[in-house]
Amino acid sequence: MVIHLATILPVNQQQEHIDYQQLKANIKAWAKESGFQQAGISDVNLKQAGEHLKNWLKKQHHADMEYMHKHGEKRYQPEALVPGTLSVISVRLDYMQTSLTPYEELTKQVSKAAISRYALGRDYHKVIRNKLKKLVAKISAEIGPFGHRVFTDSAPVMEKAIAEKAGLGWIGKHSNLINSKAGSYFFLGEIYTDLPLEPDRKQSFHCGSCTQCIQDCPTDAIIAPFQVDASRCISYLTIENHGPIPEEFRKAMGNRIYGCDDCQVVCPWNKFTQNTAEPDFAPRHHLDDSELLELFLWDEETFLQNTAGSPIRRIGYQSWQRNLAVGMGNSKPHANIIEALKQKVNSASPMVKEHIEWALTELSKQTSTPIA
Ligand code: SF4
């Protein structure tokens, strides 16, 4: 249940006698009981992060994600988004299954589909929201109703900046959050609240002189430390982008057909990756190790069935086929792959058709046998 802060401010008066130091310690313990690996507390001063965001938008690095412009200051002023907010409870949840075929191995097997490891199981929005609700229930059971609103990558919330301020890690040069004990393969969630909790200390920066993620990004999307140009980023190109994938990036995409983990794969801090305890993140339909061809043969109904409850579903069938066509164009000219591409070329939408034609042209460069 979401309680809107503006409607319950009198409750604050009933909270005068709460021991907030003890409550903060309890919240961290209850967060773990609710399934999170860690919780921390941030204040609501996100001025520095707001400046960084404004600069990024000014440089047009958000590509066509126009929603990043929306909500204005609400994004970096939590009390403007939810009036009455005094503190933010920030939580993290590990998602990596360490027993799976490593992503870097998959990207070398050109007939396989490399799907970002966060997207293999159940949609994290639902998983995190349910856990946040459990945490809220525990707090309410202790202190009674309190003003709050829960978020998980679902509203104009600067979740990485908040988590950094809450001591959950630091923002690395690739712009993801890194935890010194767990690497970077985790999700974040937030509870905006009117509870006056003491903020935790921001974690210090530990990238040092390393620039591995900048050097190894397949499309040179990290144009400077902490500056990702979304229009070059494979995650953006394969997920947020609903139009054609610019030709200049198609070869570099390889077989990455949903998101890209490369900047995290090369990060030395990910040697500390922890195996997730969350069964909901187990891969569905062998998405962790599927053949491109097998996924390309899914018709729309199968796509919708097999991605129900998965974050992959939101890109839609056209983008799914577009991405797979690029992956297949970067694979080997096996007869089955060529046949599948040819069979779909005439029934595909104009956008997918153009990507299929590109794939057939690329495959034809690898063989002396005419493909067309
Ligand atoms: S690869 Fe190096 S520079 Fe990039 S985030 Fe990791 S530690 Fe920082």
Side-chain angles (χ1 to χ4, degrees), residues 328-340:
M328 289 162 82
N330 290 327
S331 68
K332 298 271 178 226
H334 291 304
N336 291 348
I337 285 187
I338 292 166
E339 188 54 33

Side-chain angles (χ1 to χ4, degrees), residues 27 32 43 52 65-66 79 95 110 122 143 147 174 181 206 215-216 220 244 253 283 289 306 317 327 350 352:
I27 287 172
K32 287 189 177 173
D43 62 22
H52 185 75
M65 291 185 283
E66 287 308 322
E79 70 279 23
Y95 63 76
V110 295
R122 188 174 181 217
I143 64 166
H174 51 16
K181 295 192 175 69
H206 294 290
Q215 290 166 40
D216 288 10
D220 296 325
M253 257 178 67
D289 201 3
N306 289 352
Y317 188 57
V352 175

Side-chain angles (χ1 to χ4, degrees), residues 170-178 184 205-215 222 225-226 262-270:
W170 71 94
I171 296 176
K173 292 178 188 174
H174 51 16
S175 87
N176 295 305
L177 199 78
I178 305 174
S184 60
F205 178 70
H206 294 290
C207 282
S209 58
C210 176
T211 53
Q212 204 63 48
C213 54
I214 298 173
Q215 290 166 40
I222 311 173
F226 321 108
D262 283 42
C263 62
Q264 298 191 85
V265 163
V266 299
C267 179
W269 289 98
N270 272 327

Side-chain angles (χ1 to χ4, degrees), residues 103-154:
Y103 185 83
E104 59 272 35
E105 278 182 32
L106 275 180
T107 55
K108 289 177 195 143
Q109 298 176 38
V110 295
S111 69
K112 293 277 176 75
I115 294 176
S116 193
R117 305 282 91 176
Y118 80 83
L120 301 173
R122 188 174 181 217
D123 192 332
Y124 61 95
H125 295 91
K126 294 171 190 166
V127 176
I128 294 178
R129 188 166 283 273
N130 288 343
K131 289 184 190 301
L132 285 173
K133 284 182 181 170
K134 272 192 203 170
L135 176 54
V136 164
K138 285 174 193 280
I139 300 171
S140 297
E142 179 77 11
I143 64 166
F146 69 105
H148 70 274
R149 196 165 152 193
V150 301
F151 297 102
T152 169
D153 191 21
S154 55

Side-chain angles (χ1 to χ4, degrees), residues 12 20 24 27 57 62 85-87 102 119 121 124 128-129 133 156 170 189 197-198 217 260 278 282 310 318 340 353:
N12 277 335
Y20 285 104
K24 177 177 161 180
I27 287 172
L57 290 169
H62 60 297
T85 301
L86 296 177
S87 314
Y124 61 95
I128 294 178
R129 188 166 283 273
K133 284 182 181 170
W170 71 94
L197 300 166
E198 187 192 338
C217 174
C260 174
E278 186 51 63
S310 149
Q318 298 304 320
K353 182 172 192 272

